[in-house]
Amino acid sequence: MDSSIRQDDVTASKVKNGKPYLVYGTMGGEGQPQTQAAIVTRVVDFGMTPQEAIAASRAFD
């Protein structure tokens, strides 16, 4: 196994009214922060379903 290749899964969660609302994550790489921000923004601010948020175009496709 090549130790220079690293892949981490990063998970996050959002709570709404004291209860779990959204649990999401991305695979490793330099795009993790941007991908997680895009997912949560699309769901919370734009009312997309999680599937719609994942399928939407990204700036760095």
Side-chain angles (χ1 to χ4, degrees), residues 13-36:
S13 62
K14 169 109 175 86
V15 176
K16 184 176 182 180
N17 298 324
K19 295 184 178 183
Y21 173 70
L22 180 67
V23 177
Y24 56 102
T26 62
M27 293 180 69
E30 295 176 1
Q32 289 174 335
Q34 297 90 335
T35 301
Q36 287 202 351

Side-chain angles (χ1 to χ4, degrees), residues 5-12 24-36 39 58:
I5 299 173
R6 184 173 174 188
Q7 183 170 328
D8 298 322
D9 293 334
V10 176
T11 58
Y24 56 102
T26 62
M27 293 180 69
E30 295 176 1
Q32 289 174 335
Q34 297 90 335
T35 301
Q36 287 202 351
I39 298 297
R58 298 187 188 145

